[in-house]
Amino acid sequence: MSDFPLHSIDTAPEASHSLLQDVQRQFTFLPNLHAVMAGSPALLEAYMTISELFGSSSLTPVEQDVVLLTVSHGNGCDYCVAAHSVGADMSTTPAEVVDAIRDGRVIAEDKLEALRHFTAQLVNRRGWVEQQDIDALLQAGYTRQTMLDIIVGVGMKTLSNYTNHIAQTPLDDVFASRRWSKKKPPSSEAVAPERKR
């Protein structure tokens, strides 16, 4: 069980108060992710700022959903996959696109699949993508700006995915209809090679 508090506007550090008020106005409730992040005003502000910047990137709203879901899937973040699935369901993103990412399947639409594949490679290879992945994204009709904008989305989701991992953020009821779970990787102790003595 996590011992990270779910802050309210009243219990959060003072520097988080106005940020949480903005979140509540935007969502009409206070998501548990933001309630946890509020324990660090710097983290909360960073996440909200980068979210806004990603929203104004060269990617369409559907493409943004593809990136955010793919990063969260790759990082095994139960909370963010569920939350972004609900958000995507409420937008223009086709359900078959959302479900393909959730299930780890290829997206039927070639251009969005190229975006999903590149994003997944970016996450899985810690940024060291192969030239063939870059070429495939460009051939699908994206640009080098697209690649840089994807990195903004990766940064945004790294903040929330890692927060949820260490805080074990409980899923809000509003996201429960799209609950998702991925088997967690083995502990570092289990996979670390033995040190020479």
Side-chain angles (χ1 to χ4, degrees):
M1 185 67 182
S2 171
D3 59 359
F4 284 80
L6 293 174
H7 283 290
S8 67
I9 294 173
D10 294 332
T11 66
E14 186 175 352
S16 291
H17 288 187
S18 63
L19 296 168
L20 289 179
Q21 289 169 347
D22 290 343
V23 170
Q24 192 146 8
R25 275 193 292 272
Q26 179 183 354
F27 292 98
T28 68
F29 74 104
L30 190 58
N32 288 338
L33 169 64
H34 298 82
V36 170
M37 283 184 164
S40 166
L43 174 61
L44 180 59
E45 184 172 4
Y47 183 71
M48 292 174 64
T49 300
I50 200 169
S51 298
E52 184 176 346
L53 291 169
F54 186 61
S56 64
S57 71
S58 65
L59 298 166
T60 68
V62 171
E63 292 166 343
Q64 290 173 30
D65 283 339
V66 169
V67 170
L68 298 179
L69 279 164
T70 301
V71 177
S72 298
H73 181 277
N75 284 332
C77 184
D78 300 354
Y79 183 100
C80 283
V81 171
H84 285 299
S85 295
V86 170
D89 290 344
M90 296 168 63
S91 71
T92 58
T93 303
E96 55 268 25
V97 170
V98 176
D99 291 338
I101 298 170
R102 286 170 58 95
D103 297 341
R105 293 183 284 107
V106 169
I107 297 173
E109 185 181 330
D110 290 343
K111 187 173 183 182
L112 290 180
E113 171 55 22
L115 179 65
R116 184 208 64 78
H117 179 79
F118 181 87
T119 303
Q121 290 298 101
L122 194 66
V123 172
N124 295 337
R125 296 179 58 83
R126 308 296 188 264
W128 296 103
V129 295
E130 302 284 350
Q131 184 62 46
Q132 63 191 22
D133 297 319
I134 292 173
D135 293 342
L137 192 69
L138 294 173
Q139 288 166 10
Y142 292 107
T143 67
R144 285 173 176 79
Q145 180 182 349
T146 306
M147 296 177 203
L148 299 176
D149 286 343
I150 292 169
I151 293 171
V152 178
V154 172
M156 171 187 164
K157 283 295 91 187
T158 299
L159 293 176
S160 59
N161 294 168
Y162 286 13
T163 297
N164 292 325
H165 292 343
I166 68 166
Q168 300 174 43
T169 310
L171 190 65
D172 304 83
D173 289 343
V174 71
F175 305 135
S177 64
R178 289 296 243 155
R179 188 178 301 277
W180 180 87
S181 182
K182 182 175 185 177
K183 184 178 178 183
K184 304 296 186 289
S187 68
S188 57
E189 290 81 6
V191 297
E194 282 190 26
R195 292 189 177 127
K196 292 183 179 178
R197 298 184 187 265

